[in-house]
Amino acid sequence: MKSKIYIHLILLLMTLVIFGSCKKDIGNYNYKELNKLEEVKGLSDGIVALFGKAILVKPEIKFSQDPNFNESNYTYEWSYVGPTGLGGQKIFVLSNTKNLDMVMTVVAGSYTAYYSVTDKASGVKYTTNFTLNVVNQINEGWIMMNEANGKARVDMLSLNSSGNFDLVTDLLATTGSALQLEGKPVMTYTYNTGLLIGPDRISYGLYFGTDKGTTKVDPDSFRWTKTMGLTYEMFGDVPSGFYADVIQQRSGWTSYMIGKGNAYYYDRSYNIYYAAPINYIQAEGKSFEVAPFIGGNHAIVSNAHAIFYDKTNRRFVKHSGQGATCTIIPDPPQNLKLFSFSTGMDLKYMRWVPYNGGELFSILKDPNSPKQYLARFNSANNVQSYYSEITGAEIANAEFYAISPEFGYIFYAVGGKVYEYDMVYKTSKLMLDFGSKKVSYLNFYEFKNKTKYTNDNKLMVGIYDPAVNNGIEGGLRIYTVPGINADLVLYKSFEGFGRIKSLTYRER
């Protein structure tokens, strides 16, 4: 009986609780409307910024409870979605100010961007998305390592949207790069390196070298950090005061480098880094000093190799595959022999060119006389094709050489004169005479992307006025080379930079 009474009491209490919870709340509450973001003007059409240039964006902001918009009541953030360099993407913050007022350092491209405003009072964050288009006016073109006022300086002929070139004097200063070159200019070079080790994660090498050191920079922004130095690509003991005389791609992500009389090999796909020098003959157990020339075709993938010149023993040697050392090139049978690969001569110039299916041209000098000789051979199978004395006018005084990749003509410069030598007829012809000006650079530039860039057969001539030393006394002439020893045809002409020592083309 008691248990029934308890059950009834419990049910009664539960009923009272249920009815109590459903009773109308007649309390007194004050509700405050949020200060809402109603409008942001100035971002709907996106933003176009020039890389390396100042940008100022002043958005007009309207909040529902702040008709006069008190800037101090809010916090701000400008951000964009960009690549991490490791294959992914993340959000990068540009600025935490109301207005975007900065020098644009984002690499050229189109990005999804955000402008966020946070109400300090409520803590509510409002975000407006827009498109950020960064245009790099310094994107593609000729990059020149020059001597200017006795110092190294990088100038550039930047390709513009109309297909012409704009002169950018002192590229590093113009782009705000932290790199400050010291010493005399030596070289510049570009190639697709593949992903390099180290914290910078650069996959396209743009190298600048002086006699005080060699470094790469970011190929898009020209940003520089200490870890971009070439020695960070080298393992083992690095010689004191090391710098590169030559860097040259072999094929794919492989390359050679010469510095301090040593040759090095880099193959990123096999994790072979610039380490122990390869200028060593295993069979002899001896190293040798290598001349600053690399004879090889960077487009060859199979049977990849390069020819070097042993200055110590005055001979040609070869490096093949992923070998840790070089090998001696055996002389051909007597009936096919035009010269000995152990020449006993000094090397003046050497370069592989596509002429006659691809050959290595070398200019050798008798150490006991002013005579110079042209030796040609196929670097892949060592077949010799030509050997004879060069009898061109003033050849003994030649300062620079260049080989026509199409016709095999030898161009050489003496002071302000440029001669063309025909090895078939053994005749020379004065092609250019710049009078009191002198030649500082002579070359046929070899592009990497030969499908897009087809001007490998243009002769590049850097000139300068030796009576002037103001940093703008240099010029560049580019010539078309006709057949049958016809006169050179001026293709393009540029003025107003330093004395060219080396140049490369930033391809896209």
Side-chain angles (χ1 to χ4, degrees), residues 79-349:
S79 60
Y80 72 99
V81 178
T84 62
L86 301 173
Q89 290 189 322
K90 71 175 186 179
I91 293 180
F92 296 87
V93 176
L94 282 172
S95 175
N96 292 107
T97 58
K98 175 187 175 294
N99 300 325
L100 184 62
D101 187 0
M102 62 178 290
V103 173
M104 183 52 62
T105 57
V106 179
V107 174
S110 181
Y111 303 89
T112 298
Y114 305 96
Y115 180 53
S116 299
V117 183
T118 301
D119 185 350
K120 291 180 181 179
S122 66
V124 177
K125 182 178 182 179
Y126 300 92
T127 299
T128 301
N129 67 291
F130 62 96
T131 301
L132 172 63
N133 288 305
V134 182
V135 179
N136 190 351
Q137 290 184 318
I138 306 173
N139 182 59
E140 175 183 341
W142 295 105
I143 297 177
M144 300 169 286
M145 175 60 76
N146 296 336
E147 179 182 320
N149 300 306
K151 299 179 181 179
R153 189 183 75 196
V154 179
D155 294 338
M156 183 174 182
L157 290 168
S158 177
L159 185 67
N160 60 33
S161 58
S162 63
N164 297 315
F165 290 89
D166 299 322
L167 174 60
V168 180
T169 304
D170 199 345
L171 176 67
L172 298 176
T174 300
T175 57
S177 176
L179 177 61
Q180 295 184 351
L181 298 175
E182 297 179 354
K184 297 289 185 180
V186 174
M187 57 79 70
T188 181
Y189 188 70
T190 56
Y191 76 109
N192 187 353
T193 59
L195 190 62
L196 293 171
I197 60 171
D200 302 296
R201 315 298 291 180
I202 292 175
S203 60
Y204 185 93
L206 169 53
Y207 293 86
F208 298 134
T210 72
D211 61 1
K212 297 295 183 182
T214 307
T215 185
K216 59 185 176 292
V217 299
D218 187 291
D220 298 308
S221 67
F222 308 104
R223 178 182 61 87
W224 178 81
T225 63
K226 185 178 179 180
T227 53
M228 294 181 186
L230 181 63
T231 55
Y232 284 82
E233 295 179 46
M234 303 177 69
F235 282 2
D237 295 331
V238 178
S240 177
F242 183 87
Y243 65 89
D245 292 296
V246 185
I247 297 175
Q248 183 174 306
Q249 183 181 20
R250 187 178 79 172
S251 62
W253 294 346
T254 63
S255 61
Y256 292 107
M257 173 183 68
I258 296 176
K260 289 279 187 177
N262 290 320
Y264 301 85
Y265 174 64
Y266 203 158
D267 189 331
R268 290 154 185 84
S269 58
Y270 283 88
N271 291 322
I272 300 172
Y273 306 108
Y274 293 136
I278 60 174
N279 47 304
Y280 184 90
I281 303 298
Q282 188 71 41
E284 298 176 346
K286 293 180 181 180
S287 60
F288 55 87
E289 184 181 359
V290 66
F293 300 97
I294 301 169
N297 177 9
H298 67 70
I300 293 178
V301 176
S302 60
N303 191 26
H305 63 276
I307 303 296
F308 295 92
Y309 197 77
D310 174 355
K311 289 179 64 176
T312 304
N313 301 289
R314 292 188 170 108
R315 62 187 177 183
F316 294 99
V317 296
K318 180 183 286 189
H319 178 265
S320 302
Q322 288 76 44
T325 61
C326 291
T327 57
I328 298 170
I329 303 176
D331 285 347
Q334 197 61 37
N335 62 323
L336 300 175
K337 180 179 176 180
L338 301 178
F339 59 91
S340 173
F341 286 115
S342 295
T343 67
M345 296 190 184
D346 297 323
L347 181 70
K348 299 286 289 182
Y349 182 78

Side-chain angles (χ1 to χ4, degrees), residues 369-431:
S369 79
K371 291 183 178 181
Q372 297 188 26
Y373 297 82
L374 171 63
R376 289 169 37 208
F377 64 97
N378 185 306
S379 63
N381 57 25
N382 306 330
V383 172
Q384 299 176 352
S385 57
Y386 185 95
Y387 183 74
S388 184
E389 181 184 354
I390 301 173
T391 57
E394 295 193 84
I395 186 64
N397 300 317
E399 301 169 276
F400 302 96
Y401 302 88
I403 310 297
S404 167
E406 184 176 7
F407 302 112
Y409 297 143
I410 299 172
F411 289 86
Y412 59 96
V414 180
K417 298 177 180 179
V418 177
Y419 293 90
E420 178 188 278
Y421 181 75
D422 188 318
M423 61 185 165
V424 177
Y425 297 103
K426 297 185 177 182
T427 57
S428 61
K429 178 180 178 181
L430 179 61
M431 286 295 194

